Amino acid sequence: MKKIFAIFGNPVSHSKSPLMQSYALYGLGIDGCYGRYRLENGDALRDKFFELGLDGANVTVPHKESAFRACDEVDEFAKRVGAVNTVVRRGDRLYGYNTDAMGFLRVVESFGAVKNILFLGAGGTAKATSAILKDRGYRVDILNRSAKRLESFRGEFNIYTFDNFKPEIEYDLVVNMTSAGLSDDNLPAPVEILEATVPDAKGVIDVIYGKETPFLKFAKSKAVLARDGEDMLIYQGVLAFQYFIGINSRFEQIENIMRKAF
Ligand code: NDP
């Protein structure tokens, strides 16, 4: 029987997931289709999922916490971070996963020997990805513009605001986890902080994709290896697809197919 998938978000018109996932369905010869649904009220996610007759869904901003609540069961990691970006229906039960963090971990691993990482930003994406990195033995320090969001990192990570940050170690990776540069020309931190951390790093990652942000331009001007958020997006998409279809192999094959969406 034909399988039906969709992405929920608001806004959702910009999302690459329908193209990536449709290519993968087609490429693997699976009878299925994948659409997008702009959902205003996250509390309606579960009802909408069943009403649309979905077999699986991806979930993007701002509904990842709602998706977490909509599921009957969530895996251990998603439970810890309280956010779900992949929902799979089995019978009449919904199962939730977080593939953003695993996708980001793969990007970090692709840099080779990395130990110390500085996150610029303390939002939802930073929360999920820092947890998985810490589990895998990385040191992650969190630097954010304002103090409030840092509270949920207190005790587990070194936390700083722009005012009290003094680099005590050399960072192997500096990551823009903020939305600075997404639809403006802002750097994610004052230029003095970037000057003190980026030039000595092995690389930088910007989780924003599809454009060269001021942060990426800054890193390139210092001849530091710079990657945007495209790989993270593709990797989380491959992992979600594997949950949808129920396979745990052929990662590279699916990755190569999804890359055609860019
Ligand atoms: P949140 O809204 O949860 O958090 C936003 C963060 O950005 C906060 O730390 C906020 O700081 C900071 N921020 C916003 N504007 C500025 C600025 N001008 N200067 C400094 N800091 C700023 O966002 P998310 O965690 O959900 O998303 C963060 C980014 O990750 C987005 O750009 C999103 O598109 C991207 N993303 C990419 C993915 C991928 O697959 N490539 C997957 C998921 C997300 P403050 O607390 O001070 O407000």
Side-chain angles (χ1 to χ4, degrees), residues 9-252:
N10 188 18
V12 76
S13 58
H14 67 287
S15 174
K16 285 274 188 195
S17 290
L19 204 52
M20 283 163 41
Q21 300 285 343
S22 297
Y23 274 139
L25 289 169
Y26 182 73
L28 267 68
I30 292 159
D31 185 16
C33 66
Y34 190 109
R36 63 182 89 220
Y37 192 91
R38 189 171 71 81
L39 184 71
E40 285 186 1
N41 175 10
D43 293 337
L45 195 145
R46 186 182 169 92
D47 287 347
K48 201 40 92 176
F49 187 103
F50 286 112
E51 195 184 311
L52 294 170
L54 299 178
D55 294 286
N58 287 120
V59 183
T60 188
V61 180
H63 296 317
K64 292 180 191 180
E65 285 83 12
S66 300
F68 174 81
R69 290 190 295 273
C71 291
D72 299 294
E73 283 189 38
V74 292
D75 80 348
E76 277 309 311
F77 182 75
K79 204 178 284 173
R80 214 171 109 209
V81 296
V84 156
N85 77 327
T86 301
V87 181
V88 181
R89 182 176 62 78
R90 296 190 189 107
D92 57 2
R93 291 172 71 76
L94 299 186
Y95 291 76
Y97 306 91
N98 185 309
T99 68
D100 283 332
M102 283 301 289
F104 184 73
L105 176 66
R106 260 185 112 97
V107 180
V108 170
E109 286 170 345
S110 72
F111 277 85
V114 163
K115 173 85 184 85
N116 302 320
I117 304 176
L118 178 65
F119 271 20
L120 311 172
T125 311
K127 185 85 192 144
T129 52
S130 59
I132 202 157
L133 291 173
K134 187 160 192 257
D135 285 354
R136 303 300 165 106
Y138 294 92
R139 168 176 167 164
V140 185
D141 290 356
I142 317 281
L143 171 63
N144 197 46
R145 175 176 63 178
S146 54
K148 190 162 169 247
R149 286 191 223 237
L150 287 170
E151 280 314 309
S152 66
F153 294 84
R154 188 179 289 283
E156 276 204 84
F157 297 89
N158 296 314
I159 52 173
Y160 308 93
T161 59
F162 296 163
D163 301 333
N164 65 16
F165 179 70
K166 282 208 176 56
E168 285 155 20
I169 53 167
E170 221 169 75
Y171 293 102
D172 302 311
L173 271 184
V174 182
V175 185
N176 178 21
M177 280 286 170
T178 78
S179 42
L182 184 62
S183 50
D184 54 45
D185 286 327
N186 292 327
L187 285 166
V191 73
E192 303 77 51
I193 289 181
L194 300 184
E195 290 282 1
T197 52
V198 170
D200 294 326
K202 286 198 177 85
V204 305
I205 304 169
D206 197 320
V207 289
I208 294 169
Y209 61 88
K211 66 179 285 198
E212 189 172 69
T213 59
F215 178 66
L216 289 179
K217 281 192 189 125
F218 178 88
K220 285 180 184 170
S221 77
K222 305 290 175 192
V224 173
L225 183 62
R227 308 256 304 265
D228 76 357
E230 183 179 311
D231 284 347
M232 177 183 177
L233 185 75
I234 291 175
Y235 295 159
Q236 66 74 31
V238 176
L239 294 164
F241 183 85
Q242 290 180 318
Y243 279 123
F244 291 157
I245 305 305
I247 51 171
N248 55 13
S249 60
R250 301 206 255 178
F251 191 98
E252 277 78 22

